[in-house]
Structures are given as structure tokens and as C-alpha cells.
Amino acid sequence: MNTSHPAPTAMLTGATVHRVVWVPGTDRLRGWCWCGTSHETEGPVELWEWLLAHPDTHPDTHADSSAGTGSGAHLSPADRSPTSAPRSARRRSES
Amino acid sequence: MSPFPRNQWYVAAYAHEVGRELFTRTVCGESVLLWRTEAGEVAAMADRCVHRRFPLSEAPSRLVGDTVVCGYHGFTYGADGVCTAVPGQARVPRTARLTTYPVKEQDSFVWVWIGEREKADEALIPRSPWLDSPGYTTVCGMEPLAARYGLLVDNLLDLSHETYLHGGYIGTPEVAETPITTEVDEAAGVVYVSRHMDDAACPPFYAKSTGIEGRITRWQDIEYHAPCLYLLHSRIAPVGAPGPNPDGTDPHAFHVEVVYAITPETEHSTHDFWAVARDFALEDQEVSDFLRENNRTVVLQDVVALDKLEQVIASEPAGAQELSINIDTGGLAARRILKRLVEAGAEAGAAGRQALTAS
Ligand code: FES
Ligand SMILES: [Fe+2]
């Protein structure tokens, strides 16, 4: 579903990622739920309210089930790696 | 309720700060004593003697082999925090033991776990591999900030402030002018903010270090791993240079990895660790000196501003009105995640205390 999102390419790889894009040429924001549904608003406060309320309408609600664990104990180690690691591969040749 | 997320890993020090001298740093209101055993392992324990609470980091307390000897009356502790000797008597009270902290040395930082020790999982520590990678050269420092950690999180998640607060150093008009894309993984506690400038002025910070003359494409990709680690992937290339290859290599660009560790000291003060790792001019001492000096100047510009802001906020009733706009999309998410982590840590603590009373 992330493939339907506009550039720049989606960076976070988790199963439940919200994405907010500044609509080109406007002052508006468009946000996507991970289910693919999107919504457009004037500003971030209103948009976050909508996005956070939205998962109530689909089954994969992480918001309450896992949010309370705090330390993220359910996460796999890979989630703690920077998205672009390892960067050593893309090192510039010393010149 | 604790104002800090508990049951979390925090950077307590750079690895190079901890050696065969007793070293102390306050993390989330807890005074932590840090030192290295003769084998080179980092030990982390409460910096308060169990006898009369004398700080063990304070002379004439000292390290003797792999023990800490309190400078007041001589209580002696091992690296496991257990007291092995007290003055004048043979029997050491059974309860004479210092709280120790789970500790992990990684990516040039010393991380400590603040919270319930049985929940400490090293796999949860976010990574910043550049800082001790041979492919990068790193300069770093730490500035004390007389402001609550949340103000530094706000500051770093919205780099449009570079244009105003850091004009002439790292700020140019394009930073504030360029729209951002934000991604948030609530469950993982990660916020990503991306700002890609196609054609921007090159600020002195990058012009002098890379040698680029003329305009640049400048990418700022922020990754915040709440609560403590902040990464800024900065990509600089002359306008018109080819972009990254599909395999991830990017030979036509300069990469700077800016890393911050945001460690609460007290409710109103923060340790502002900063590091700048680059993948070019690796051996060039002049570039290192320039980046260290320049980045420190920039960090201090933030420190001055945030110290002032803290005074204002501390003097106002809680919940004074703010107004958020598009640039605050990521910062709002970070605040929300931090609030949840604070609540979760407090709940876990309360549950733990209840279990203790029940048994
Ligand atoms: S206070 Fe440390 S031995 Fe008395
Ligand atoms: Fe700044």
C-alpha cells in the first residue's frame, strides 16, 4: 500500500506507518494511514487528529494494543537500525 | 509522575569519557557513577554511598583495582555494586549494595537503562554506526542545556529554524522554504522528517568542508528514535550531479551524519550530545577542526535560545497557548510519542510497586 504514496519514497518500514506530505504548490497537508486511506487538511493538528482516530475503522489497530508497552519491547532489533544503514556501501570514493 | 520516559535506554556518556577515573553524570534525575574495570568493561552504579550517601565520584573517593572506595568512611564496592568491606568490623551488612544500571557500550556511546532492570533489552538500543566506523571521520562534543529535553526535541525536529537561528552558518532561505514529508511509526517510537532541496545556496558549513562552490542539492533526512537518539542524514551534492544509484551507492555526493543524543538530566536541564560524521576528507585535520568549531557554534546558538525559552515556559502556567503550522508535523508526533512513553513508564512503575506490596 505504501507504493501508492507520493515521493520522496517511503522511508520507514514498519507495518503501521503514518505518512504526511505537504501538497506541492499549496499550504495544505495530506496524510495517509497505513491502510491507504488519506485525508487533507489545513494544518498538522487537525490532520493528526484525523489520522489517529482513523484506525478505529480497520482491524489492524496497534494504537491501543501495543502503545502501552512503552519500551517497545515487541520490536525486533532491526527496527532500531537507521533506515539507511549500512551507509558504508554508499561511501564516496576519497578524492 | 516522572517527567521522563522510564524503561528506556539513554546515552550517559561518550565511551572516551569513561576510564580509570570515577566519572558521574545525572540521567533522568539519577546520579550515575561510571568507571572502567581493569579489563576495560564499563561499570554503572548509583553515585551515592549506602552509608551516608556521600557521592562516590567525589574525592577522596577512589578506584582501587576493580573496587570503588568511598572517600568518607571507606565502604568498598565491586563492579557488581556489592559492598565488600566496611570500616572497623568484619561483618558487611547484607543489604549493603549499590543499585547498578544495565549498561552497553555501542557506536562510541555509553548507554544506560533507566527503569526496571529486568526489562532492559540491548536489542532496543537505536544505532548510529557511523560514529565509530572506519569509513567516517567524526567530531563530537556535549553541551549542557538549561532547558527541558522536550525543547531540544522540538528544536531538532523542525530544521526550518536553521534559516533564522543559524543564518550564515547552516541556514539558508531554502531550508525554511522547502516543504517536508513526515512519516511516523507510533508503535516503534520513530519519527522521520525529510526535506529535499533541489537547488539551494551552500551554507559555509558545507562550502568550506566540501569545497563545493556554487549551488547544491541538499537533502535533510531526520530520524528520531524516541526518546534519546536523533539522526540527521545530510546529503550534499553540486546541482546537476547524479543522484544515488539504485544499489544505494552515491559516489557524487558528500554525506554528513549528524547525531544527537538528547539525555534528560533533570526536569529542567538536558545533556546535549552532538556528533558530526563525514565520509569525505577523512584525514583532513583542518576540515575536522572547522566542523567541530562550526557545529559547536551552531549548537550553542540553540542552547542560548532554548535556555531563554525554558525560563519563559517555566514562568508561565502550564498549557499556555501555542500555534502549530505545517513545519511542526514531525515535532507534534514526537511530543505525542514522548507523552505516551512517559505514561507507559509511569504505569509500569506503579504496577511494579503494586506487585511488591501485594506479595
Ligand atoms: S558515606 Fe560512604 S562510607 Fe560513609
Ligand atoms: Fe538549531
Side-chain angles (χ1 to χ4, degrees):
Chain A
M1 42 199 110
N2 277 357
T3 49
S4 65
H5 295 171
T9 319
M11 294 307 295
L12 297 184
T13 54
T16 54
V17 172
H18 287 121
R19 179 177 175 83
V20 178
V21 170
W22 195 318
V23 181
T26 75
D27 286 342
R28 297 177 66 79
L29 297 175
R30 176 167 287 272
W32 276 263
C33 176
W34 57 87
C35 74
T37 312
S38 76
H39 184 70
E40 202 175 297
T41 66
E42 283 281 312
V45 173
E46 193 193 331
L47 184 58
W48 281 128
E49 273 170 19
W50 187 90
L51 283 169
L52 294 175
H54 168 76
D56 292 346
T57 61
H58 52 75
D60 186 16
T61 54
H62 79 295
D64 294 313
S65 54
S66 64
T69 60
S71 65
H74 55 292
L75 296 178
S76 72
D79 291 319
R80 309 312 278 168
S81 292
T83 54
S84 56
R87 287 282 288 251
S88 49
R90 47 201 275 187
R91 248 183 68 205
R92 186 170 187 281
S93 54
E94 277 98 271
S95 54
Chain B
M1 185 160 72
S2 160
F4 320 113
R6 295 182 58 80
N7 292 335
Q8 296 291 337
W9 289 99
Y10 290 95
V11 169
Y14 286 111
H16 66 75
E17 292 182 291
V18 181
R20 294 288 295 159
E21 301 274 330
L22 295 168
F23 179 87
T24 189
R25 189 155 277 149
T26 298
V27 178
C28 296
E30 304 189 16
S31 295
V32 182
L33 179 74
L34 295 159
W35 51 281
R36 257 177 223 281
T37 64
E38 287 177 327
E41 297 291 313
V42 176
M45 54 196 65
D47 185 22
R48 295 288 180 269
C49 182
V50 299
H51 177 227
R52 288 294 178 265
R53 304 201 48 78
F54 189 74
L56 295 165
S57 57
E58 197 66 38
S61 299
R62 63 189 198 282
L63 263 185
V64 178
D66 281 347
T67 63
V68 178
V69 181
C70 178
Y72 195 178
H73 316 91
F75 274 49
T76 300
Y77 304 93
D80 57 2
V82 173
C83 180
T84 55
V86 299
Q89 62 181 61
R91 190 186 65 84
V92 176
R94 211 168 24 86
T95 54
R97 131 198 320 263
L98 298 170
T99 301
T100 55
Y101 293 87
V103 62
K104 170 81 172 172
E105 195 172 344
Q106 185 166 276
D107 301 330
S108 88
F109 289 129
V110 174
W111 292 85
V112 297
W113 173 261
I114 300 294
E116 299 145 84
R117 61 175 311 128
E118 60 289 354
K119 294 194 174 158
D121 176 359
E122 292 179 357
L124 294 174
I125 302 175
R127 303 298 307 265
S128 51
W130 314 280
L131 301 189
D132 59 4
S133 153
Y136 289 77
T137 297
T138 300
V139 296
C140 64
M142 197 281 274
E143 314 305 328
L145 178 68
R148 64 195 71 187
Y149 72 97
L151 294 185
L152 185 55
V153 176
D154 282 349
N155 171 280
L156 290 171
L157 276 162
D158 167 29
L159 295 183
S160 65
H161 83 270
E162 288 183 351
T163 301
Y164 301 93
L165 197 52
H166 308 303
Y169 292 85
I170 52 174
T172 71
E174 295 85 2
V175 181
E177 282 167 8
T178 306
I180 50 170
T181 296
T182 306
E183 288 183 357
V184 178
D185 187 330
E186 297 276 336
V190 179
V191 180
Y192 196 100
V193 181
S194 179
R195 176 179 269 121
H196 287 193
M197 295 162 260
D198 294 334
D199 182 352
C202 191
F205 187 82
Y206 289 118
K208 291 214 180 108
S209 58
T210 65
I212 296 181
E213 293 162 8
R215 294 181 67 84
I216 54 172
T217 59
R218 180 179 184 188
W219 292 0
Q220 295 176 322
D221 286 88
I222 294 169
E223 225 176 296
Y224 172 54
H225 295 255
C228 191
L229 193 73
Y230 170 97
L231 311 173
L232 166 59
H233 312 295
S234 179
R235 178 186 185 274
I236 306 293
V239 168
N245 297 318
D247 67 359
T249 57
D250 190 14
H252 302 284
F254 297 83
H255 302 98
V256 178
E257 298 290 343
V258 184
V259 177
Y260 283 80
I262 304 164
T263 301
E265 180 188 38
T266 68
E267 199 169 338
H268 299 283
S269 61
T270 303
H271 305 296
D272 183 348
F273 294 89
W274 58 267
V276 176
R278 66 180 191 272
D279 71 347
F280 55 92
L282 296 183
E283 311 286 339
D284 194 325
Q285 189 59 41
E286 259 180 69
V287 171
S288 290
D289 293 343
F290 171 78
L291 288 177
R292 182 186 295 105
E293 209 32 56
N294 221 255
N295 201 68
R296 181 158 189 271
T297 303
V298 165
V299 170
L300 289 174
Q301 289 167 340
D302 285 324
V303 165
V304 168
L306 297 182
D307 285 0
K308 177 56 77 179
L309 186 54
E310 172 65 37
Q311 290 173 15
V312 169
I313 291 177
S315 72
E316 289 177 347
Q321 193 65 44
E322 288 181 314
L323 196 158
S324 296
I325 61 170
N326 290 0
I327 55 173
D328 302 307
T329 305
L332 289 174
R335 284 185 179 186
R336 183 169 74 230
I337 289 169
L338 288 170
K339 180 166 178 284
R340 170 173 62 77
L341 294 182
V342 167
E343 288 165 359
E347 272 170 35
R353 278 191 298 280
Q354 247 171 20
L356 279 180
T357 7
S359 62

